Structure formats: C-alpha cells, structure tokens
Amino acid sequence: MPKVAVVLFNLGGPDSPEAVEPFLFNLFSDPAIIGLPNPLRWLVAKLISRRRAPHAREIYAQIGGASPLLANTQAQARALESALGDLGEVRCFSAMRYWHPLTEGAAAAVKTFEPDRIVLLPLYPQFSTTTTGSSKKAWDKAARAHGLAAPTSFACCYPVEDGFVAALADLTAKYHAEAAAHGRPRVLFSAHGLPKKVVAAGDPYQVQVERTAAAVVAKLGIPDLDHVVCYQSRVGPLEWIGPYTEDEIARAGADKVPLVVVPLAFVSEHSETLVELDIEYREKAVEDGVPHYARVPTVSTHPAFIGGLARVVRAFASGPARAGADAGQPRLCPATCGKCPLAAA
C-alpha cells in the first residue's frame, strides 16, 4: 500500500499569551514580510514584535488567549485523510510558518513516516509570495536538512477550485437570504491585504482573489448581485491594495444597505475573522449606521471544500512530481504576474 504525505502549509498562531511576542518576531523576521538584510531585519523584527505584542495579546484575549488556527487545521487534516483513504496510507502534516508545529518539525515527522510520495498543499487558496511562497522556501530548506528524497509535488494554488467555490457560495447564500429581510444586501468579499509594491512586483495574489470572488458570484447566480472585493488587516505606513474593508463598511452605512461579509481568502477561523471581522468591523458597522451586518463563516471542514482539497491532492499524487501544467495545474495568472510559481512551467 503506497504511503502519501500531505503537508498542509499554514500561518500558525500563538497558543498562549506568552507565545504572542515570539510568534510576531517569527513573522516579522521573515524576509518575505520585511525585505531587509540581516542583522537589520532581525533588529526591526525585534522592535516591531515587542511594540505590537501588548495590543496583540489584547486581541487574542478576546478569543480565549490563543489562536484556534491549529485546531482548525488539524480538523481539516483528519477530514482530508478520511477523504483520501483510497490512495493508500495517507497522513496529513501541519507545517506552520510562524508558530508550532513549525515547518522544521513537520519535515522531521514526514521523514519518520517514510512516504512514497509527498504533496505540498497550502491552506492559502490564492498564491502570494508572502504566504505560500514563504512556506515553500521554508519547506525546501527543511526537506533538504532532513534528507527527504520522496517524489514531491507542489499544489501552489486553487483559487477557483470547484469545491472551494461551492463551499463559499453555499455559506454565502444562507447569510445573503437572511440579510435580504433588511433590504437589498451588499456582499463584501474581504481578503487580507498586501502592500501595493508587492503586487506591483508581480505577486499574483490580488488577481487570484478577484478570480475567486468572480467564481463565487457566478456560482451564487443571484441576479444583479451587489458585491465588492475589498481588503482588510493592513498595517504600517505603506500604501496597501484596496478598496479597504472599513471604507466599504462606511459606504454601506451611508447607503443604508445590509452587509454580508465573506472571508474568501481565509479557510480557517483566526484573529482576522473572529476579532477583526466579528468584533471590530461589526462595531464599526453599527457606528456607521449599517442596518444589518452578517459575517459568513470560513469554509473550514465544509464537505465541498474538503472534497475539493482531495481532488487537488489526487491530481498531484498521481502526476509528475513537480508543479506545472503536466501535473494537473495549468497556469492561472496573466503574464504580468511574474512571481507566479508556474511562470516557468
């Protein structure tokens, strides 16, 4: 019976108040986040993480003092293993980028498993150099260190995968129907933002986010759906891609329309959904006079989403051991997206 290791890339999150500052340091010391040379990057990461830690601890205190991201990822892993039982002995491993279980530990666990095939599966549906790209670099380094020689495939992205889109549409339809009792709803497809300079340098994230939103709108089939793609969670002095979610909330208040907020780039609940969307933005909606505010849950372990992930894994577990069109993944991004990992495929 073949042994298949599925490595789930994700951000990670602090598992206690004490872990918040080291988690932030790991985040800001990543060259994909702050592109300064060391030791300057180390010093900047130390300064930012120390300064931001007290506020971040207050944020996590609102959801029990820790991130639920790992527990959600583990639930997705178990569901995916069950869906892939026909492939042989399938085991999913969580490789978190900034907190435990870190990529290094995941590579060690995969080595012990001794798989015949490895599939790298990001839990970021849309590719960005700052998320999936960073996780892939960390994995490659850890895999070399542990001598992992099994054929390995990299599923870089799946922004319009049928199951992912179907799960988002299913969840959105329910909340849209409820919001319709308060007027004609406006749907905000809210994704984590990026600095404009990252996108201008060829990062495909924004293009892929917009493709996800378009696919969900098509799947919903609601005539003349009022919808906007917007971006949240910006930090620092740089200009970020927009429009900003908080500005769209203010506009909805001025227009007196109910809102349905869809986190279309997050597949698990964490601080950006449970605090930023559920608490901070909800409070803003009330202040701005929005007549109804509803936040759609993340796809999490929705059966359609897990089925979609299973299809992605199947395509790579049976194809050539690399990313590319011949591995079941044609390039989705326009030529302007030079940082697309399939650019040379």
Side-chain angles (χ1 to χ4, degrees):
M1 178 180 290
K3 298 171 70 174
V4 180
V6 180
V7 181
L8 302 176
F9 290 162
N10 213 333
L11 181 79
D15 50 17
S16 68
E18 295 74 25
V20 169
E21 187 170 334
F23 163 77
L24 292 174
F25 174 78
N26 290 342
L27 171 66
F28 290 112
S29 61
D30 183 353
I33 304 300
I34 295 181
L36 296 173
N38 268 331
L40 184 57
R41 185 175 68 252
W42 188 94
L43 292 171
V44 170
K46 202 71 176 174
L47 176 65
I48 294 175
S49 59
R50 186 170 297 164
R51 188 179 70 232
R52 291 179 60 86
H55 178 62
R57 277 192 286 269
E58 291 175 2
I59 289 173
Y60 284 105
Q62 297 179 77
I63 51 174
S67 171
L69 186 64
L70 177 58
N72 202 163
T73 302
Q74 290 172 333
Q76 291 167 325
R78 302 291 84 79
L80 187 54
E81 286 174 349
S82 296
L84 292 169
D86 59 297
L87 286 183
E89 185 179 355
V90 178
R91 189 174 302 175
C92 293
F93 299 84
S94 299
M96 300 297 185
R97 187 65 185 91
Y98 304 121
W99 200 243
H100 306 286
L102 293 165
T103 306
E104 170 72 21
V110 171
K111 177 68 173 180
T112 300
F113 180 54
E114 297 183 339
D116 301 299
R117 188 64 180 262
I118 300 171
V119 177
L120 308 177
L121 180 66
L123 291 177
Y124 307 107
Q126 304 89 6
F127 178 89
S128 174
T129 55
T130 61
T131 53
T132 302
S134 177
S135 290
K136 177 63 162 52
K137 287 181 180 178
W139 172 264
D140 289 346
K141 180 180 178 181
R144 286 193 299 270
H146 288 278
L148 283 170
T152 301
S153 294
F154 169 43
C156 75
C157 54
Y158 43 93
V160 292
E161 200 287 320
D162 288 346
F164 172 51
V165 171
L168 276 173
D170 178 55
L171 294 167
T172 301
K174 173 187 174 184
Y175 285 82
H176 186 275
E178 293 175 357
H182 303 270
R184 183 184 177 217
R186 179 173 298 158
V187 176
L188 300 187
F189 291 107
S190 185
H192 198 292
L194 276 183
K196 278 189 171 181
K197 70 174 188 178
V198 175
V199 174
D203 192 293
Y205 175 74
Q206 185 174 17
V207 168
Q208 293 197 6
V209 164
E210 291 171 354
R211 289 198 63 177
T212 299
V216 174
V217 170
K219 186 72 174 178
L220 284 167
I222 298 173
D224 299 319
L225 179 69
D226 184 1
H227 67 280
V228 180
V229 179
C230 49
Y231 298 89
Q232 64 183 89
S233 310
R234 72 186 191 277
V235 294
L238 295 176
E239 186 176 5
W240 285 48
I241 57 176
Y244 302 142
T245 303
E246 58 264 42
D247 291 345
E248 286 301 319
I249 292 172
R251 186 169 73 91
D255 294 343
K256 300 302 178 186
V257 297
L259 281 181
V260 178
V261 182
V262 184
L264 83 168
F266 303 122
V267 302
S268 305
E269 304 293 353
H270 55 312
S271 63
E272 279 84 355
T273 59
L274 298 174
V275 177
E276 190 172 19
L277 291 182
D278 285 357
I279 299 175
E280 296 173 356
Y281 285 177
R282 184 181 298 276
E283 290 174 354
K284 178 172 175 52
V286 171
E287 292 170 1
D288 289 342
V290 174
H292 177 79
Y293 179 95
R295 199 271 290 184
V296 173
T298 58
V299 292
S300 189
T301 55
H302 190 291
F305 177 58
I306 296 301
L309 291 182
R311 280 191 293 275
V312 173
V313 172
R314 289 178 202 282
F316 283 90
S318 58
R322 68 179 193 89
D326 58 351
Q329 187 164 14
R331 181 173 177 179
L332 300 172
C333 307
T336 53
C337 297
K339 296 298 179 69
C340 171
L342 302 181

